Amino acid sequence: QVQLVESGGGLVQAGGSLRLSCVASRRTFSTYAVGWFRQAPGNERDFVASISGSGSTTRYADSVKGRFTISRDNAKNTVYLQMNSLKPEDTAIYACAVLVNNIRWDYWGQGTQVTVSS
């Protein structure tokens, strides 16, 4: 089992930047792909970005391509989400999860709130 803790959220003006962190409790964290997801009030949870265990492969939702960058430091059991050129529509709770058996996203963290003001 893996425990994930997100941090780095906050209130920022449109055009600003934030860096989110997802720290894992387990040393075998490097074997897992990790994804970032977000959920705005009244909306379903949406995929934002993912990164393979080695960090060699990344994927992004079209809405964040060119603005967000996912990366990881396995020595620190941490995955980052650098968010630049933030827009009000990026406002949501952002949470990370690991890909279990290449099938399902699981072991969700509690999430961190990102609010972008116009």
Side-chain angles (χ1 to χ4, degrees):
Q1 190 163 351
V2 180
Q3 291 183 326
L4 303 177
V5 178
E6 302 95 336
S7 63
L11 173 63
V12 64
Q13 289 187 332
S17 299
L18 286 172
R19 188 177 79 157
L20 306 183
S21 298
C22 170
V23 181
S25 61
R26 188 169 175 175
R27 291 193 176 187
T28 56
F29 181 61
S30 62
T31 64
Y32 292 101
V34 175
W36 281 99
F37 297 77
R38 66 186 182 186
Q39 186 168 19
N43 290 357
E44 294 184 351
R45 181 186 291 156
D46 290 329
F47 169 80
V48 175
S50 66
I51 188 166
S52 61
S54 66
S56 60
T57 302
T58 57
R59 291 178 56 230
Y60 296 93
D62 288 343
S63 58
V64 306
K65 279 182 182 176
R67 300 189 298 123
F68 291 10
T69 302
I70 190 170
S71 62
R72 67 190 300 160
D73 184 343
N74 285 336
K76 296 182 178 179
N77 287 351
T78 302
V79 169
Y80 303 99
L81 185 68
Q82 177 67 43
M83 305 186 297
N84 299 329
S85 302
L86 283 161
K87 305 175 181 180
E89 51 263 44
D90 294 318
T91 295
I93 296 175
Y94 285 70
C96 58
V98 297
L99 186 62
V100 180
N101 295 328
N102 288 322
I103 296 175
R104 72 181 192 278
W105 296 100
D106 206 343
Y107 303 119
W108 296 88
Q110 83 289 348
T112 185
Q113 176 71 48
V114 171
T115 303
V116 184
S117 63
S118 57

